[in-house]
Amino acid sequence: MDIFLQLLLSGLLLGGVYGLLSLGLTLVFGVTRIVNFAHGEFVMLGMYLTYFLWQLGFDPYLAAPVVFFACFAVGVVTQHLLLRKTLTMPHLVQVFVTLGISVVMQAGAQLLFTSNFYFVRPSYGNAMVEIGNIRLPLTTIIAAVLALIGTALVHLFLKKTHTGAAIRATAQDPYAANVVGIEIKTVYAVTFGVGIGCAGLAGALLAPIYPVYPTVGLAYSLISFVVVVLGGLGSLPGALIGGLVVGLLETFSAYYISPEAKEATYFTIFIIVLLLRPAGLLGLRGSETMGANH
Amino acid sequence: MPLLQINSIKKSFGGLKAVKDVSFSIERNEIVSVVGPNGAGKTTLFNLLTGFIKPDSGEITMNGRRIEGCNPETVCRAGFVRTFQSSRVFPNMSVLDNVTIGALSRCNDVASARREALSIFDFFGSRLHDYSDRAAGTLSWANRTRVEIARALACHPTLIGLDEPTAGMNPAETNEISELIVKLRTEGVTVLVIEHDMSLVMRVSDRIVVLHHGELLMQGTPPEVRGNAKVMEAYLGNGSSSTAN
Amino acid sequence: MNTNTISTRIQPSLQAASLGRTVTLWVIIVGALYITASRLTDEHLVDLMFQIMLAASLAGAWNIVGGFGGQIALGHAAFFGIGAYTSTILFQHYHLTPWIGMLAGALFAALLATLIGAVTLRLRGPFFAMTTVAFTELVRIIVKNWDSLTGGTRGLWIPWEPNPWNFSFSDRNSYLLVAVTLAVLVFSTTAIMAKTKLGFLLNALREDADAARSVGVKATRARLISFAISAAFVALGGTLYAQYSLSIDPTSVLSFDISIQMALMSAVGGLGTVIGPALGAIAAVTSSSLLRGWFGGELGALHLLLYGVLFILVMLYARGGLLGMAINVKKRLTRRFGQGQSDV
């Protein structure tokens, strides 16, 4: 029973971070219909930024907001310089441009930081929190709590602010939004900024738990694909729910089957979901028509 | 036996009933138009007939063969070929290659499909011959519609369905397309037109089917439809307040 | 009417003339490749040419699905790995010559592609792309963990015992001749495809799948055939790589990078064209080799960085790729000089 609870809690905590990680991907898709294949590389960027801020003496969790805004800026610039042009182009071009970005970022990281593993190790890095017989790493708990706060803030931003309302309106119907005077270009830029910001923030929260290296992004891209396809590409609550499901799958299959089995489990589930229910568990209307033939 | 027989076809999306229990038929060598205000369910009906959407219930019979729920390529092979709203040609392929694709539904080698395509060009006078090597995406709307019709004709259809063929065209172009529609019939092709623009419909149709809120409001000859009070009301009366999209 | 009779009369004869010219050119290129491959003595150059031929074959094979069909396939590393592992495992466990193992791998890859394609090709654009990535990861994980068969993360070693019957040669030129043969096979297939029904149907499906289906194009069938052909060629490349490098492991033959590389080279060279992917492969392999020569292994990533930038620029500004640019230049030149001639 203790083991079950331990796994359940670890899974949910990990899932919370995965939720934030995938929120950015699903938000960008919901508004711009672009699946960002460089999403994981922006997580990597967040991790490197956290590492260097930590080296400068910042606590990694205090660095997290800084990383968010830095990545927000990177996101806005990237969308303005590159992705803005692809909005009316075929999917193939959109996917390839984001793939190109991921190749460039990976190669850039390799050139700047070599392929060494970097670790962020604050003094409390190995601390464990004990609740009864359950022991959980402090860093994972903090990461999950901050991820949930981040997720909540993004939701508040979308629900309560004028820009947020414009983003939601654009996701529903870009033409109508344009007609009522919403500046679509700004909406796309901000959306991409927030999306990349979330990826970077997730990177900051993961940095004290996992090492960072130039090719780390692929794993995070894949996890976020699995999460958003499970939750429904374009659905914001779906990202969190999908994240929790994937977090649980990962911890349980790693314990009960084998540590190697966790990835196999979620890719199998990913393929099954795509085949049976391309719109995901909480699918966005329209993503299904994109998923299957429309 | 009618060429196309539609029996109480139904389709809803979530809670929205887009097409509710529609039945009508098309006889050989007729020109039939389906009209209705925006949101009447015309496009949904057309997609149901041509295999792009599967109906919830009902029957569609083409030449005695059931085609409801079949995929578009099977519907084409049954002799019913469609065009699309705002002309969907293959933009980066030449006009000749566009039409060749249609001909390839019946022959296996490209050379004979090409010959077939060129023979279909004749139907359009010199219009398509002149643009044979041009990328279809660079043509005017009227010529793109011609390419689409030529591509459809290359499949040797018995029934051709045109989805808003004159959308976005000027009156002169609209005239040319309506002459083309009439000419299709002389070639022995039955024509189904989905239109918003009543003037074109009144000119070319033998019979008009009026849809409103996903239901069949009435069907009849152009003069019958013109004089019908219910049609006037659907188009003008409460149309503005109830065009549930 | 006049126009019609003229065009029907001229068209076939023109086609026959240009077909004859294309075939002649093709025979010359192929002949030159074989002669160079057998005469080249510099070890480094032989290796470079081998890399180019292999890369061109892979990019050309990917192009059948991605370029002609417009499907964003990002899982071709799976077929590469399947080719490499199938022939190697069959040789080590059953002493089956890799020549036959190669065909077995290609067949296995084609079957798997058909199976995967049957369930995923109905997905559109990015969804199809994500599924192919996930599928490759699944294959990689299986290979990584099936230790008894695949050697797990350590991979498999192929002993170097020269014997042509076992696809093992004492000189590099022989491997190069096999690589040239594979490339010739891939590009001849693509060239024929471009002129025949399958190529036309794939192009139409890429341009507008709905419109194509409405005029009777059997979308699933055409895509499955192209997917199977493409996978089989990539698997042949996998065996060739395994025999040449004498060792394979999940990272070297099953990583996502390999899938991306095929797409990158094909797109930079010219998507959906016959020889575009070959140009992309030449550009990629030579630039990588030159940069490594100048800056050493440390800056190996520089090549990837430049190539990534080039890839983005091509996608945004010159979707015809290198080949498209070359054709534009040629058009401009002929317009200038051709005009002069007709005036005279």
Side-chain angles (χ1 to χ4, degrees), chain A residues 270-271 273-279 288-293, chain C residues 71-72 116-132 223:
Chain A
F270 171 83
I271 291 172
V273 169
L274 261 185
L275 298 182
L276 298 183
R277 212 183 144 82
E288 185 158 19
T289 51
M290 267 191 65
N293 282 316
Chain C
Q71 293 280 325
I72 317 169
I116 306 289
V119 284
T120 58
L121 280 170
R122 72 191 175 86
L123 300 171
R124 283 217 166 189
F127 288 81
F128 175 74
M130 289 192 290
T131 316
T132 52
R223 284 175 173 161

Side-chain angles (χ1 to χ4, degrees), chain B residues 52 71-74 76-77 80-84 88-93 96-97 100-102 104-111 114-115 118-119 122 126 129-130 132-133 148 151-152 155, chain C residues 1-9 11-12 14-15 124 192-221 319:
Chain B
F52 282 89
N71 55 26
E73 45 267 48
T74 314
C76 166
R77 271 154 226 276
F80 183 6
V81 184
R82 69 172 288 182
T83 65
F84 293 83
R88 286 164 68 173
V89 292
F90 306 123
N92 299 310
M93 292 169 77
L96 181 59
D97 284 354
T100 304
I101 295 294
L104 279 171
S105 68
R106 293 177 307 105
C107 40
N108 274 323
D109 72 303
V110 172
R114 274 243 161 85
R115 276 195 294 278
L118 281 166
S119 73
D122 294 346
S126 67
H129 280 300
D130 294 349
S132 180
D133 292 330
E148 250 202 314
R151 188 175 67 191
C155 305
Chain C
M1 266 299 89
N2 260 339
T3 9
N4 175 39
T5 43
I6 290 167
S7 56
T8 32
R9 243 181 249 154
Q11 211 88 18
L14 265 181
Q15 273 173 2
R124 283 217 166 189
I192 292 168
M193 212 186 71
K195 293 278 173 216
T196 51
K197 187 171 179 178
L198 182 62
F200 273 71
L201 300 189
L202 288 174
N203 275 336
L205 286 167
R206 180 194 61 211
E207 296 271 294
D208 189 330
D210 287 342
R213 297 178 73 198
S214 78
V215 290
V217 175
K218 288 176 181 165
T220 311
R221 190 164 164 249
R319 245 180 288 161

Side-chain angles (χ1 to χ4, degrees), chain A residues 34-50:
Chain A
I34 291 176
V35 175
N36 180 11
F37 275 74
H39 195 70
E41 273 66 34
F42 289 105
V43 176
M44 170 198 80
L45 178 68
M47 294 176 89
Y48 273 118
L49 282 175
T50 311

Side-chain angles (χ1 to χ4, degrees), chain B residues 47-70:
Chain B
N47 283 333
L48 286 167
L49 295 182
T50 51
F52 282 89
I53 305 177
K54 311 232 174 296
D56 297 334
S57 66
E59 289 173 14
I60 306 166
T61 318
M62 172 81 193
N63 249 337
R65 186 175 155 197
R66 294 274 291 270
I67 56 164
E68 79 273 0
C70 286

